Amino acid sequence: MFTKILIANRGEIACRVIKTARRMGIATVAVYSDADANARHVRLADEAVRIGPAAARESYLRADKILEVARATGAQAVHPGYGFLSENDAFADACAEAGIVFIGPPASAIRAMGSKSAAKALMDKAGVPLTPGYHGDRQEPAFLAEQAANIGYPVLIKASAGGGGKGMRRVDRAEDFESALASCQREAINAFGDQHVLVEKYVLRPRHIEIQVFGDTQGDCVYLFERDCSVQRRHQKVLEEAPAPGMTPERRAAMGQAAVEAAKAVGYVGAGTVEFIANQDGSFYFMEMNTRLQVEHPVTEMITGLDLVEWQLRVASGEPLPLRQEQLTLDGHALEARIYAEDPDRGFLPSTGRLVHLVPPAENDHVRVDTGVEQGDEISPHYDPMIAKLIVWDRDRPRALARMRAALAQYRVVGVSNNVEFLQRLVTAPAFANADLDTALIERENAVLFPAPQPVPQAVWALAALAELQREAQGVRDDSPWSVLDGWRLNSTTQRTLTLRFGDEVQPIGVAYVSGGHALTIGGQSLTVRGQFGPSGTVHAQLGERRVSAAVVTSGEKRQVFFEGRSWPVTVVGALSAGGGGDDHAGGLKAPMPGKVIALIATAGSVVEKGAPLLVLEAMKMEHTISAPAKGLVKAFHFAAGDQVTDGVDLVDFEAEVQP
């Protein structure tokens, strides 16, 4: 067994590998970019070495620098995690040439499965069912459009070297094919350095089911059951679970055996995942093989009781698989929710910034949190905006769902937009709760997942007001009774108005000070409130006759109220901004995040219809199209293709057409 390994990754997966290595008595070496100098994985590792600037291509994708660090620190093996160099055959070869073990499959297996088109040809020879489509080498747009027409719309364009939903577009009409192809190719070349694509029939109401496989250097291979990853947005997984709902033992065995045969066909070693598109009738087609550990591997660990990173380390050191197929058992049900810094209400745009407040649910036998960040850390624009993976387990799916709902209700994040409340709505949506699954679940459950805004409950206004009043009272800097902000006045009862805002809803609150608390007037109704605040903003409050537990976290002018499983960012309105509400772009379309302008679609001086694409912004390895908010005139662009932009800057001068 190794005594020291280098982890060629960052964030959550680097921390995950360190945890197992430490338990096994293996020393760890972390590498980091300038953006990650104070990151959690750097703090956890036994030693850490800088490898370059923030950009991944100058740091985490620099195989030469990583191997230089491995040699200098005496690391015997490199764990690539997922993403970055994990599926890079040249890196696997370079490790072998340097006499350093690559904790993953041989380079030949990565090459065989690294190209989706080549992998499908290999699977076709092996007799594994394939989705109808074109998987060849010809890439002329006109030829690919002809193939799409022959296949029949809708079709799916996919980057051959892709993964993670990047370089992938569904196309429903022939007239949209050319622009979708160009966008796919741009995204593919930026993310993978290869713009080769394939075109497949888009299976209606497909499920995404994957099989975890493991091979060793002795030629043995097993499957560790399946995961259902159907719940996705923009072809990126949001929720995963194991086992797949509705899976029969016969179908599991058939899919498991097909996955093992696929792995054996390329001499596979280590952890891998064979992904299938499954029809509602149970038939399935090979989609691709990921030659690495998957983000969602914890759900497999929870239902098998195994540590897959430990298996990786043992197999890479030459040991045989710890268990044979007949020794593997499945126990209970597990779910994983990916907690992201993103805004579901703005098309899941990634969010960046400091984690001012971060309190996950308590971990126990039923709840697990895998994360690469802690309170105070930054979510950088340079990398994936994942905050954590929340994993729950119980005896069956209904009980596991109850665990997930409870755990999400306890999650508190302040400082960045996040998807916690969206995930709460998702796991309670009838379609998901009843396992009516397919990859379009989020789109078809749009009304449930994106409900119309509701008025702020009286209790939320009261809790925000109570927090602000207590903050004022505790802000005293001297012992003079005249500076105390508790409302005391000689021979009088003091009253004042505190103005709060949630979005465009402004709420004036009358405040009168009473013994031991405050009398509030909210929307014409009176309410006596008192409460005691504890660590991390927790509060046990008396609101009239009702006792509640909540949390209120201060961040600038915002008072983030966590109450009954929801989060309400309430702003304290000062005298100068009491009437304020929404944003006014004054004719400008602003950048929703830091990024790079990669294409100007419209022409300055042209009149466009509402929804017309104006420019394409690349951020966090994904393309985001900025569209016209109404019919109007594109007066000018402030940036050219290739320019870097910061969050909130004006991108386009746009003049909406005045309606008669």
Side-chain angles (χ1 to χ4, degrees):
M1 179 52 65
F2 313 115
T3 57
K4 181 185 281 191
I5 64 171
L6 181 145
I7 302 164
N9 217 297
R10 63 174 302 280
E12 174 273 323
I13 186 58
C15 295
R16 166 71 189 87
V17 174
I18 290 169
K19 181 179 180 180
T20 291
R22 179 166 294 164
R23 180 176 59 77
M24 296 176 67
I26 301 171
T28 54
V29 180
V31 292
Y32 64 91
S33 71
D34 289 343
D36 280 339
N38 299 310
R40 184 171 184 258
H41 76 282
V42 173
R43 302 194 295 266
L44 288 179
D46 295 296
E47 54 186 304
V49 181
R50 177 188 178 276
I51 52 171
R57 65 181 177 277
E58 299 178 56
S59 52
Y60 296 107
L61 290 172
R62 286 292 301 271
D64 56 338
K65 289 188 176 182
I66 289 170
L67 287 175
E68 180 182 317
V69 173
R71 285 189 291 264
T73 57
Q76 301 146 314
V78 172
H79 194 302
Y82 49 71
F84 295 134
L85 295 170
S86 62
E87 295 180 280
N88 187 304
D89 60 298
F91 180 58
D93 276 333
C95 286
E97 291 171 9
I100 296 170
V101 175
F102 178 76
I103 302 173
S108 57
I110 298 175
R111 276 191 288 272
M113 290 298 187
S115 165
K116 287 183 174 64
S117 54
K120 286 177 182 287
L122 188 64
M123 293 302 100
D124 192 30
K125 286 185 180 179
V128 178
L130 298 179
T131 309
Y134 176 72
H135 310 127
D137 293 329
R138 289 189 61 180
Q139 294 292 292
E140 309 93 288
F143 176 79
L144 292 176
E146 183 182 337
Q147 298 306 305
N150 292 338
I151 295 165
Y153 289 94
V155 299
L156 192 65
I157 308 174
K158 299 166 66 175
S160 183
K166 299 178 182 68
M168 187 180 296
R169 298 288 187 278
R170 172 181 170 172
V171 188
D172 294 306
R173 306 180 307 164
E175 51 266 41
D176 297 331
F177 185 85
E178 185 176 349
S179 62
L181 173 63
S183 180
C184 266
Q185 290 175 328
R186 282 196 304 268
E187 205 166 86
I189 197 75
N190 287 331
F192 316 112
D194 183 353
Q195 67 175 13
H196 191 285
V197 301
L198 50 84
V199 184
E200 293 182 336
K201 179 69 178 176
Y202 186 86
V203 178
L204 297 176
R205 294 211 64 199
R207 287 177 65 179
H208 183 144
I209 297 176
E210 60 189 33
I211 305 292
Q212 176 72 63
V213 295
F214 237 103
D216 63 19
T217 54
Q218 285 75 33
D220 292 326
C221 188
V222 298
Y223 67 91
L224 287 81
F225 313 112
E226 79 282 351
R227 299 184 286 256
D228 192 304
C229 307
S230 299
V231 183
Q232 304 176 5
R233 49 104 175 108
R234 295 201 305 247
H235 305 293
Q236 291 184 305
K237 300 164 188 174
V238 177
L239 281 171
E240 300 97 354
E241 59 185 304
M247 178 67 76
T248 64
E250 296 77 16
R251 186 178 172 200
R252 176 177 294 126
M255 295 183 76
Q257 191 56 43
V260 166
E261 291 303 320
K264 285 185 173 181
V266 294
Y268 201 80
V269 175
T273 304
V274 181
E275 303 195 349
F276 296 95
I277 286 293
N279 279 310
Q280 297 293 325
D281 63 6
S283 58
F284 58 91
Y285 305 111
F286 172 84
M287 183 167 58
E288 63 182 333
M289 183 175 188
N290 289 305
T291 54
R292 54 173 166 79
L293 196 66
Q294 291 280 84
V295 176
E296 58 273 17
H297 77 272
V299 292
T300 296
E301 294 183 324
M302 297 292 267
I303 65 166
T304 60
L306 303 173
D307 183 332
L308 298 191
V309 174
E310 178 181 346
W311 274 44
Q312 284 187 296
L313 295 171
R314 293 196 179 284
V315 165
S317 68
E319 294 182 19
L321 289 171
L323 296 173
R324 299 186 301 275
Q325 189 69 58
E326 62 271 18
Q327 295 174 301
L328 294 166
T329 57
L330 187 159
D331 181 28
H333 199 94
L335 294 141
E336 175 180 299
R338 302 188 187 192
I339 311 296
Y340 276 110
E342 64 183 13
D343 190 345
D345 293 327
R346 298 175 67 196
F348 297 97
L349 281 175
S351 177
T352 60
R354 190 170 72 90
L355 293 164
V356 175
H357 180 83
L358 180 62
V359 178
E363 294 190 72
N364 52 45
D365 290 343
H366 294 275
V367 178
R368 167 177 164 181
V369 179
D370 285 10
T371 185
V373 293
E374 295 173 338
Q375 183 168 299
D377 288 347
E378 294 278 339
I379 298 296
S380 165
H382 301 289
Y383 315 114
D384 185 86
M386 179 183 283
I387 296 173
K389 300 184 307 196
L390 173 62
I391 309 104
V392 300
W393 176 92
D394 215 312
R395 300 303 313 171
D396 54 35
R397 190 174 190 268
R399 282 184 276 197
L401 270 173
R403 296 275 183 192
M404 179 60 80
R405 288 193 292 268
L408 285 167
Q410 296 167 26
Y411 227 117
R412 304 206 302 267
V413 183
V414 179
V416 294
S417 299
N418 62 85
N419 66 339
V420 171
E421 287 189 28
F422 170 79
L423 291 169
Q424 288 178 277
R425 295 192 293 269
L426 185 54
V427 298
T428 56
F432 185 77
N434 297 325
D436 181 15
L437 306 175
D438 65 66
T439 57
L441 184 146
I442 289 177
E443 287 81 1
R444 63 184 168 87
E445 293 296 312
N446 186 76
V448 174
L449 300 178
F450 299 95
Q454 299 296 313
V456 179
Q458 182 192 61
V460 171
W461 292 126
L463 288 164
L466 179 62
E468 181 60 13
L469 293 167
Q470 290 220 359
R471 188 190 70 83
E472 290 177 356
Q474 293 168 2
V476 182
R477 289 290 181 265
D478 59 63
D479 296 327
S480 167
W482 310 111
S483 65
V484 176
L485 299 174
D486 63 359
W488 182 87
R489 294 294 184 276
L490 182 64
N491 298 325
S492 68
T493 300
T494 301
Q495 295 186 339
R496 59 177 285 203
T497 297
L498 176 66
T499 303
L500 303 177
R501 177 169 62 84
F502 175 79
D504 293 328
E505 186 177 353
V506 177
Q507 180 65 64
I509 298 175
V511 180
Y513 296 85
V514 298
S515 178
H518 306 84
L520 305 182
T521 302
I522 305 173
Q525 296 183 331
S526 297
L527 186 70
T528 301
V529 303
R530 54 179 55 88
Q532 185 64 44
F533 283 78
S536 300
T538 56
V539 58
H540 299 286
Q542 182 86 33
L543 309 180
E545 300 300 318
R546 182 184 182 192
R547 291 187 178 183
V548 302
S549 293
V552 185
V553 179
T554 297
S555 176
E557 293 183 348
K558 286 186 179 178
R559 307 294 175 260
Q560 197 90 21
V561 182
F562 294 90
F563 179 63
E564 294 186 334
R566 279 205 61 185
S567 171
W568 306 82
V570 176
T571 302
V572 179
V573 181
L576 295 178
S577 59
D583 296 327
D584 181 3
H585 298 310
L589 289 169
K590 297 181 183 296
M593 58 178 39
K596 178 182 179 181
V597 177
I598 60 171
L600 302 181
I601 306 300
T603 303
S606 63
V607 175
V608 297
E609 298 294 325
K610 179 180 179 179
L614 304 180
L615 62 82
V616 179
L617 187 70
E618 183 194 41
M620 294 185 174
K621 301 181 182 178
M622 297 290 285
E623 288 191 3
H624 306 276
T625 301
I626 307 299
S627 301
K631 182 178 181 180
L633 173 66
V634 180
K635 298 178 72 176
F637 289 100
H638 290 290
F639 299 93
D643 288 348
Q644 294 286 341
V645 298
T646 57
D647 185 13
V649 300
D650 284 328
L651 299 172
V652 188
D653 273 343
F654 183 82
E655 185 177 285
E657 184 177 273
V658 177
Q659 298 299 317

